[in-house]
Amino acid sequence: MEIITETDYRDRMEKEVVPFLKKHRHSGFFCPDNGQDKIYYESYRKEDAKGVIAMVHGFSESAEKYVEMIYYFFQAGYQVYIMDQRGHGRSARGQEDLSLVHIDRFEQYLSDLDYLATEVADREDKGLPRYLYAHSMGGGIGAAFMEWHPSVFEGAVLSSPMIRPLTGGIPLGIARGIAEIQVMLGKGATYVPGHHAYRGDETFETSAATSAERYEYYAGKRRSQPNFQTNGASYSWLREAARMSKYILNKENCGKIVGKVLVFQAEQEDYVDKGAQEIFTGQVKSARMVPMPGTKHEIYMSDDSHMRVYVEEILDFLEK
């Protein structure tokens, strides 16, 4: 697979990738569990596809950030489905503050993914094998989903998965306790300490990417579109992230996973617990860890040399 190089990245994305995908993109909304909350999704369908890939983005991201990866998967012969997760992008929000990432129960994330994979994708591409690609928070959701609903996906790629979030040196159990108290006090939709509304002062140097071109391409969209400016977690989100982590790392739950799982681990990781990734991988018999030296949390926004390794490893895994 030829990757889009940093040398002419923006030019090729705007003149080649985006117009190509636009021809194949269908977008719309679905309402899981017959509810009122609308979840935005995109699908990229093609004739003679070899399989379906459902993509789940990470904390404070959107489907728009994954245009390059969508392009690779589609070019490799897969149908692609991706949604803006609940509380992100163009999907339903539980509050007016577009910067706040908020959720009442992490099971809502699982329900949304279930609907995307078993209702939307299955209705349009019935009979094709289904695979999962998920990053960070999406990787945690993907891991929990594979335990909760093991028969849906034949394989999963978890990129820097949030098996356990990092909480600034405070043990997760204590952080969860604090969050529980704040939720009981009616402050569940309040920013946790250290988190705040989007200010537009992010820089590549402090980012989770190692490719300035890839970073700036999405950062520009984020600066100009308020729906892409999700930025900080609520106390309720923190409580649910801790609950989800406990669920994922339960040894019995890990034993329920039957599909093959590929776990990518960034060397310079500042957002999620690498030790928890290793525990999870060790407890899932069908899982394999792929360390990625020289990368940061957003491995899919790495420099060209690492992107080649990353994309080829993923496509080889899916082929096998």
Side-chain angles (χ1 to χ4, degrees), residues 97-198:
D97 184 355
L98 295 181
S99 288
L100 185 66
V101 180
H102 177 73
I103 193 76
D104 292 322
R105 307 289 286 179
F106 85 79
E107 287 86 354
Q108 292 172 285
Y109 288 138
L110 303 185
S111 177
D112 294 344
L113 177 55
D114 186 42
Y115 196 94
L116 180 72
T118 64
E119 294 291 335
V120 177
D122 200 46
R123 180 174 64 240
E124 298 174 350
D125 302 300
K126 198 171 186 65
L128 289 174
R130 289 175 294 205
Y131 308 102
L132 177 67
Y133 169 89
H135 166 70
S136 193
M137 182 186 84
I141 292 166
F145 187 89
M146 295 282 284
E147 297 173 350
W148 175 65
H149 212 334
S151 63
V152 171
F153 295 111
E154 295 192 19
V157 176
L158 306 181
S159 185
S160 303
M162 189 189 77
I163 305 300
R164 180 189 292 144
L166 293 179
T167 48
I170 301 174
L172 185 59
I174 294 176
R176 177 180 175 177
I178 294 171
E180 291 273 13
I181 293 171
Q182 295 301 314
V183 171
M184 288 192 301
L185 292 174
K187 298 181 180 180
T190 302
Y191 287 105
V192 301
H195 287 229
H196 51 76
Y198 176 79

Side-chain angles (χ1 to χ4, degrees), residues 26-27 67 97 117 132 146 160 162 166 218 270 319-320:
H26 169 80
S27 63
V67 172
D97 184 355
L132 177 67
M146 295 282 284
S160 303
M162 189 189 77
L166 293 179
Y218 180 71
D270 297 319
E319 286 294 327
K320 291 179 179 178

Side-chain angles (χ1 to χ4, degrees), residues 55-66:
M55 301 178 67
V56 190
H57 67 72
F59 178 83
S60 76
E61 297 184 332
S62 70
E64 191 70 25
K65 197 172 182 179
Y66 288 80

Side-chain angles (χ1 to χ4, degrees), residues 214-253:
R214 289 182 169 88
Y215 166 81
E216 187 54 41
Y217 183 72
Y218 180 71
K221 296 181 180 183
R222 184 167 155 84
R223 284 192 292 268
S224 64
Q225 300 187 43
N227 279 338
F228 298 157
Q229 294 174 4
T230 42
N231 197 69
S234 72
Y235 277 113
S236 182
W237 182 91
L238 175 58
R239 178 192 67 178
E240 293 309 296
R243 280 188 61 234
M244 186 171 71
S245 177
K246 184 176 181 180
Y247 178 89
I248 295 169
L249 288 171
N250 179 283
K251 194 169 184 178
E252 183 178 345
N253 289 338

